[in-house]
Amino acid sequence: SEAEQERLQEVNELKMELTKLQQQYRIMSSGTKAYCEEAQNAIRKQKQSTAQLLKEEQELLKELNLARSTQNQIKDKGTVDKLKVLKEKRKKYRLRLCVDTTA
C-alpha cells in the first residue's frame, strides 16, 4: 500500500541520515584524536622550554649572587683602583714622551 511505501521511504531516508551522521562522527572522532595528539606535543615542547628557561634563570641568579657578593665587590674595587693608577701612569708616560720628543 501507499502508506507502507511512504514508511519504507521514510525508514530508508532515516537510515541514510544515520549512516551520514555515523560517518561524520567517525571523521570528527579522528580529527579530535589528531588534535589531542598535536596539543599534547605542543604542551610537551612548552614544558621542555619552561624547564630550560628555569634552569637558565637559576644559573643567572647564581651568577648575579656571585657578582653581588662582598668578596667580589671588594675584588672589583681593587681592580678599578689598579686601573685608575695605570691610567694615571700612562698619562704621565705620554706627557714625558711628548716632552722628550719636543726637547
Side-chain angles (χ1 to χ4, degrees), residues 54-89:
L54 287 172
K55 185 178 177 182
E56 288 175 18
E57 179 188 32
Q58 289 172 349
E59 284 294 318
L60 289 170
L61 286 173
K62 187 167 68 172
E63 288 177 22
L64 180 62
N65 288 332
L66 189 62
R68 286 182 175 169
S69 75
T70 307
Q71 187 177 6
N72 278 335
Q73 287 179 354
I74 292 169
K75 230 183 200 181
D76 289 346
K77 185 177 180 337
T79 302
V80 168
D81 292 343
K82 284 179 186 177
L83 286 171
K84 285 179 183 177
V85 169
L86 289 173
K87 185 178 176 184
E88 281 301 313
K89 284 183 179 180

Side-chain angles (χ1 to χ4, degrees), residues 15-93:
K15 283 181 181 180
M16 286 179 14
E17 182 68 23
L18 177 61
T19 302
K20 181 180 170 186
L21 289 172
Q22 287 172 335
Q23 184 180 11
Q24 287 177 345
Y25 177 77
R26 281 192 295 275
I27 291 169
M28 286 175 44
S29 292
S30 66
T32 302
K33 183 179 178 184
Y35 173 78
C36 285
E37 288 175 5
E38 189 177 317
Q40 287 173 348
N41 286 335
I43 290 169
R44 190 178 312 109
K45 286 179 184 177
Q46 289 173 350
K47 283 181 179 180
Q48 288 172 346
S49 294
T50 302
Q52 181 63 34
L53 288 171
L54 287 172
K55 185 178 177 182
E56 288 175 18
E57 179 188 32
Q58 289 172 349
E59 284 294 318
L60 289 170
L61 286 173
K62 187 167 68 172
E63 288 177 22
L64 180 62
N65 288 332
L66 189 62
R68 286 182 175 169
S69 75
T70 307
Q71 187 177 6
N72 278 335
Q73 287 179 354
I74 292 169
K75 230 183 200 181
D76 289 346
K77 185 177 180 337
T79 302
V80 168
D81 292 343
K82 284 179 186 177
L83 286 171
K84 285 179 183 177
V85 169
L86 289 173
K87 185 178 176 184
E88 281 301 313
K89 284 183 179 180
R90 184 179 75 175
K91 186 177 178 182
K92 288 178 185 178
Y93 179 73

